[in-house]
Every structure is written in structure tokens, then in C-alpha cells.
Amino acid sequence: METQEKRKIVIVGGGIIGCSVAYFLTRHPKFNPALHTVTLLEASSIAAGASGKAGGLLALWAYPQSIVPLSYRLHKELAEEHNGAERWGYRRLACGSIGAVVREKDLEARTARPPPPPTGSGVDGEPPIRSALEEDSTKGWQKLPKQDPKAAALLQGSPLPRDMDWIDGSLVRYYEEMGSPGATETAQVHPFHFTNALADLAREKGVDIKLRARVTKIGQGPSGAPAVQYEDRDAGGAVHSIDDATDVVVAAGPWTGKLLPRTRIETVRAHSVVFEAEVSPHAVFTDIQLPPSYVPEHRREQGQKRRHKGSVDPEIYARPFGEVYACGETDTQVPLPATADLVEVDEGRCDDLIAYIGTISPALAAAPVKARQACYLPQHVRFGEQRSPLVGPTSVPGVWVASGHTCWGIQNGPGTGYLMAGMLFGDEVDGEVAKLDPRKFKV
């Protein structure tokens, strides 16, 4: 019979990756609460960063393929085990891409009649048909990483679904549905609720979650074991140390690069908005051509010029709990702050996003906006190119990394947590997962 040693595991970061690691550690067959302790340190609150401000799209065509199928399956299993449909809005949904052309006369006509309510009830009273599943004018609209050629290649021709009545179909030049059962299907969760649910489930199994505990240093304790230094933000910044950890898992998202510079985790800021609206379950990637003279009203009132170059491509996700989420361009103009609750929101960028979406969706143009927000995405960058996330041990004994998931953190959170828990307890990993080993990148 195998004899287990005591383990004191510290997880840095209370986003989807850190909470997934905590959850799966407590579910691992070798986990013994009499021998193993798990402490999670979060600088602000659970899902305060990108994990609470993401869209929540899950897709088998996501990236990297070494963990996507596993993670997609785990999402389904977690929802079945913990009532995820009600608890965090897990559901299947259709996903497609639309191309729309908006002319000046379309915008003029829009102001002449009231917008229809976002009913999601089809047309002519028919029941819904569900799918099978710039700063100046020189600065363009920057695409998020989800919108890549590989994903676009999976698109198949299809007419605009009748239940997508919250998009003005007269402006749409094409609709291409993404997805075929068992191969490229899509689903979703509400990321804030999902991340918090995993944190709660981990806490129920004994994980000690310390909030507003900002980790400032990861080093080596007196005994040579990994050591973690953190500030208690609720106690005037009092400094505490954990000097006898056996393992430290750095899952700090965009802050990983600050704590472990050799990871080369860089950041990009993304803005998003959340509407209060009930619409049919679709995730929509857009390509909207705007009139050359179009300047959003909020910029015109301030005497500003347009920021777009005539074409924009926001993503729009219908979500459970009466929400529609939309995200837009990214930027690197504002440095990463010390903690997630200090992230600056550029109201102008959010208002741009609202205005652009309003040109093709009268329903959302009339819907209340419940949140204007921003977050930073962690990117593993080498030689100027974005690489796969880092998942596994570093060259420093006892220090592990799980970061660099870009915009696919929610999708790949469960898979990453499952794999990290297995690695910590000595499970073997296959060759594809081994490609994510931080040591391959001299971390």
C-alpha cells in the first residue's frame, strides 16, 4: 500500500483556473484531508478579473486542442453533478457568424420608429426555431483571439434563424452557423456564477480561501521549501508568509508574469458590456460594415472623430439569467494594475461597443445596460508570438504554473484544474498535454 506524505498546497489566484485546481484537488482519489491542506490566496474576490467578465462560451473548436475535448466534457459532467443548468447557467446554444452592412438610411429609419422588444419568439407569432446546435481614425478595431482563421473555416452556410429576431435581418448579408453535433458543438456557462460555484464546492471540501490576500513574492523558505509572501489588504497591508508549503500553484492569470517573470505572461485589456435582455440562445460573431460618415453619438457630442475604420466585429452572447454579453476590441494602453478591483474601465470604449451593436440590433439598442467593464487577459508570448498556455511544473521544485489561457480560460478551466491536480498527485500526462510543460520554455 502506497504511503502518502503530508502536502501543503498553496494556490495563487481565485479565477477560474485557481478555483478549478482547488476543486479537482479535493476530488482526486489520493486527496486525504488528514494529510493534505489546500490554501487559495486571492488578491480581491473570486472571479474579480477576466473569470467574472468573460462571455462564457464553450466550444470543441477552441484552443489548445490538447485540453479542449477533456475540458468540454468536464463542463458537461460538472453541470450534471452539481445542477449547473440552474446554478451557473450551463446550456447548449447555437453559434454563428453574420456579415451586416449598415447604411446611413438604415440609421435614419431606425430613429423614425420604436424598436421591437427582444422576445426571442420567432416571426409572425410562430414558435422559435432552434438551431442544431481615433484614439484617431488610423486606429482599427482589434480582434479578440477567438476570431481566428481555424474557427472561421468551420463555418457552414445557413439562413438567419427565425428566432434571432433581436438582430435586424434586413441588414444581414450572410449568416453562417458554426457547429455540427459531436464535432464543433458549442455550449456556455455564466462565468462569474461558475467560478464562484467551484470555489464554494472546493471550500466545502476543506479548501481555505483567503480573500483580499495579495501575493507579492514567491521564493524559498528557510527550509528550502517554496515560500509565499502576501499582504492582507483588510489589515492595512500587513505582510504574512507561508514558509513551509510543499507546492505552490501560480494561477494568477495576467498577474502571473509579475510573480514569475520567466513565464513571459503578457496582458491585453478587453472591454465588454452586459445588457438586460431575454433573447434566443445564440452566440454571434459579427462583421459590421458601417457608413463612412458614422460617428457614435457619444463621440459626436464631445466633438470627437470615429475610432473605427468602417468595419467592426464585436461578439454578442445571449446568456441565461436575462443577460446579453458583448465584448469588443482589445488594447494595451493602460498597464496592468496591482489587483483586479483596480482595473480601469474606458467608458468611451464601452459606449462604442454599445453603439456598434445598436446599429444592427434595435432590441439591444433599447435594452438597459447593467455593466460596463474591462479585464486583462493572460497571454503566453514567445518571440512576439502567442503560444499555448503553461500548465505544469517549473524548473523550481515545488512551484507550478497554470496560466496563459487568453480568452479561453472559462472553456479550459476544468481541464486545466483536472490535469494540475493529477500532476500534483503524481499522475502521468500524455504527450499532447506535456507540450504545455513550462519547463519546455525554460520557466
Side-chain angles (χ1 to χ4, degrees):
M1 181 176 178
E2 181 181 355
T3 301
Q4 294 191 50
E5 298 181 352
K6 288 187 175 182
R7 304 284 288 276
K8 188 171 185 177
I9 303 171
V10 177
I11 301 170
V12 181
I16 185 58
I17 305 300
C19 291
S20 294
V21 174
Y23 172 89
F24 281 103
L25 278 171
T26 62
R27 269 68 180 178
H28 194 279
K30 293 182 181 179
F31 179 74
N32 182 347
L35 293 174
H36 308 135
T37 64
V38 180
T39 301
L40 187 151
L41 303 175
E42 163 53 41
S44 49
S45 58
I46 297 298
S51 297
K53 298 176 176 63
L57 183 67
L58 314 176
L60 281 171
W61 43 263
Y63 176 84
Q65 276 298 304
S66 55
I67 56 177
V68 163
L70 167 66
S71 202
Y72 192 89
R73 173 174 60 81
L74 288 172
H75 269 289
K76 184 175 185 293
E77 293 176 357
L78 287 167
E80 291 172 347
E81 181 178 355
H82 300 295
N83 191 21
E86 292 186 15
R87 195 166 181 178
W88 57 78
Y90 176 85
R91 66 179 182 179
R92 294 284 294 276
L93 83 165
C95 181
S97 174
I98 68 171
V101 177
V102 180
R103 298 162 297 182
E104 288 188 26
K105 65 179 184 179
D106 298 318
L107 298 177
E108 292 171 358
R110 181 77 47 77
T111 60
R113 63 180 186 271
T119 61
S121 58
V123 296
D124 300 327
E126 297 182 18
I129 294 180
R130 304 300 180 191
S131 301
L133 257 213
E134 58 175 39
E135 271 44 84
D136 54 40
S137 61
T138 64
K139 183 173 177 57
W141 182 265
Q142 301 179 43
K143 290 185 177 182
L144 285 168
K146 286 197 197 74
Q147 298 171 295
D148 60 22
K150 290 184 180 179
L154 298 171
L155 298 175
Q156 301 171 358
S158 173
L160 188 67
R162 281 186 290 167
D163 65 336
M164 200 185 294
D165 59 353
W166 45 281
I167 298 289
D168 185 345
S170 68
L171 307 177
V172 176
R173 297 298 179 263
Y174 69 84
Y175 173 83
E176 297 174 321
E177 186 176 7
M178 185 180 295
S180 58
T184 57
E185 65 188 49
T186 50
Q188 73 178 159
V189 297
H190 191 295
F192 180 83
H193 296 307
F194 178 59
T195 305
N196 273 274
L198 288 189
D200 291 341
L201 291 166
R203 188 185 285 111
E204 290 172 6
K205 291 291 186 178
V207 174
D208 181 16
I209 298 180
K210 298 182 184 296
L211 301 180
R212 295 182 59 78
R214 176 176 171 257
V215 173
T216 56
K217 183 179 180 181
I218 296 173
Q220 196 174 57
S223 65
V228 178
Q229 187 178 89
Y230 68 93
E231 296 176 348
D232 184 341
R233 298 177 65 197
D234 286 331
V239 177
H240 301 275
S241 295
I242 301 175
D243 296 327
D244 56 347
T246 57
D247 305 274
V248 176
V249 181
V250 184
W255 288 273
T256 300
K258 299 290 186 182
L259 296 171
L260 298 176
R262 286 193 299 175
T263 59
R264 296 185 183 177
I265 298 295
E266 298 183 3
T267 66
V268 61
R269 186 175 63 162
H271 282 81
S272 57
V273 297
V274 181
F275 300 91
E276 292 183 22
E278 288 277 3
V279 303
S280 56
H282 289 268
V284 184
F285 294 79
T286 71
D287 180 3
I288 306 170
Q289 294 183 41
L290 298 170
S293 61
Y294 176 70
V295 179
E297 187 63 28
H298 65 279
R299 292 197 178 274
R300 180 180 289 111
E301 290 177 351
Q302 298 177 38
Q304 298 177 357
K305 299 179 180 179
R306 68 180 189 180
R307 297 184 62 253
H308 64 88
K309 284 188 175 181
S311 181
V312 294
D313 50 11
E315 300 173 19
I316 310 171
Y317 304 155
R319 288 209 302 208
F321 314 131
E323 292 183 358
V324 176
Y325 170 95
C327 56
E329 64 176 338
T330 61
D331 74 272
T332 57
Q333 295 180 354
V334 180
L336 182 72
T339 55
D341 52 339
L342 298 177
V343 171
E344 294 182 19
V345 177
D346 186 329
E347 296 285 341
R349 292 178 184 271
C350 291
D351 289 339
D352 284 342
L353 183 57
I354 295 166
Y356 300 150
I357 291 171
T359 65
I360 64 166
S361 176
L364 293 181
V369 176
K370 65 185 297 184
R372 290 172 170 83
Q373 56 196 19
C375 63
Y376 287 78
L377 304 176
Q379 302 181 110
H380 173 213
V381 178
R382 295 277 160 167
F383 306 109
E385 295 183 0
Q386 183 177 303
R387 300 295 183 92
S388 300
L390 299 172
V391 180
T394 71
S395 57
V396 179
V399 178
W400 308 71
V401 173
S403 187
H405 294 73
T406 63
C407 56
W408 289 115
I410 297 297
Q411 150 66 41
N412 291 323
T416 300
Y418 178 89
L419 291 168
M420 283 297 302
M423 291 180 198
L424 283 158
F425 282 118
D427 296 350
E428 294 185 6
V429 298
D430 62 35
E432 288 300 306
V433 174
K435 293 179 181 178
L436 309 180
D437 190 328
R439 294 170 297 187
K440 291 183 177 294
F441 302 95
K442 299 182 179 180
V443 176

